[in-house]
Amino acid sequence: MSQAVTEVNTPAPVRPSAPRRAASPWTSLAVLSSGLLMTVIDGNIVTVAMPAIQADLGFSATGLAWVVNAYLIAFGGLLLLVGRLGDLVGRKRMFVSGLGLFTAASVLCGVAGDPGVLVAARALQGVGGAMTSAVVLGMLVALFPEPRERAKAIAVFSSVGAAGGALGTFLGGALTETLDWHWIFLINLPIGVAALVAAVRVLDNDRGAGLGQGADYPGAALITGALMLTVYTIVTAAEHSTGATASLAATSLLLYVAFALRQARTARPLLRLRLFRSRVLTGANAVQILMIAGMYGFQYIGALYLQRVLGFGELRTGVAFLPAPLAIGVLMLGLSAKLIGRFGAHRTLLAGLALITLGLALLGRLPADGSYVLDVLPAMLLLGTGFAAAMPAVTGLAMGSAAEEDAGLASGLFNTTQVVGGSLGLAVLTTLAASRTQTLTGQGADALAATADGYRLAFWVAAGISAAGLALAAALLRPASSPNGR
């Protein structure tokens, strides 16, 4: 009896619960890419729908620009800050929170019936997009520590981002023409919810270093203000006088100087200035600014050329841009990583930038009576091929030179230079095109011919910007004798 009682009362041995099996790095990459795809598509989907938004909500010509500017200023201004905060509070937490905010803001954009509501919702989208995008590359670097696998992952990730840009142009035209402009935002709801659920279930938890390890709030205020003012100065340059623009630029510079002095003296800096001692990381970000400026100019000015010169409708314009993302996707997935593995990131980057420069120069010859197949498509394929080679290469150079504890910050910095490059390219090229067209029209030239001439000037300048990026890459990113290339 006592034996039985003893057996009954003796607790069964407790088996340790099996830890949750970590998801495959490639599954995690798919989740990260879905979040990137949504934000990239949204950044481009608005372009084609702008006339419909203006007609429906009654935006003024200058007010309409804030549908784009509100997003860019919030997005570009916060990338560096939230990238660092991701290192401190956990990158998964930042990514998931950003997805939730972006999705909710997208719904608010979709139901907006007032210009002020739409602009405010777009700013919230920019905040959510920054939170999502800033930490993604840092998470990717942690998922793929081995160089060859990392190169493949970066190629996949870059192809998603590049394809999303042109896909946004296509979806913007298709949804606006077949339904209405509200759906360009509401489409983010099912995508965002699915990505959010997958991120919570699939991505590994990371604790972060803790807010006490670098939460420099005065420094955060300075750099966020500097970046927001920089993007604001760029995107509103056409609306201000030269003196006002110079004053804004000078104020931005003063904020950057104050931030640098703060980081050099504080015990726990938000941005470790030693990050910029890496020749490769600094050079890769500088090259990216120039490359993205040229490519963003192609996407925006190219869409205007198709619509205003060749007379394409919204849907036809979107379809016309599809060869670029298809070329980028196929080449990035099947060839880019192999090229980098065989020839190195530096040579692959130089070849890609050379093709981009050539493609933009070809667009500088577009006539007023041009043909899409003969004049636009060949240049578009050159640009797609060049970007497919250059983007993974420059991404790998930038992120590969950052230490693990700085990966989130380096990711935020890399995304920030993308926004600055895109904003700079858009502001400079559209201003030059409009000024040239206005001058020729004032001299009595035909309106269509003057418009085409303005776009040609913009493409020639874009080719010059890309050529400057090529020269900079050749000078700064050549392989060094040291193992880390610093």
Side-chain angles (χ1 to χ4, degrees), residues 238 297 300-301 304 424-436 455 458:
Y300 189 82
I301 301 293
L304 291 178
L424 183 63
L426 181 62
V428 170
L429 298 177
T430 54
T431 300
L432 286 174
S435 177
R436 176 66 172 169
Y455 294 154

Side-chain angles (χ1 to χ4, degrees), residues 28-46 71 75 95 99 102-103 106 125 128-129 132-133 136 156-171 184 187-188 190-192 194-195 299 322 325 328-329 415 418:
S28 298
L29 176 62
V31 174
L32 296 175
S33 298
S34 67
L36 171 74
L37 182 64
M38 185 171 64
T39 56
V40 170
I41 285 177
D42 190 83
N44 293 271
I45 201 170
V46 178
Y71 181 91
F75 186 86
F95 181 81
L99 274 180
F102 186 90
T103 304
S106 296
Q125 271 192 313
T132 301
S133 302
V136 168
V156 172
F157 185 77
S158 300
S159 69
V160 171
L167 183 59
T169 305
F170 168 72
L171 286 176
I184 68 174
I187 195 175
N188 287 333
I191 300 174
Q299 189 167 330
L322 284 180
I328 290 171
N415 281 284
Q418 281 189 4

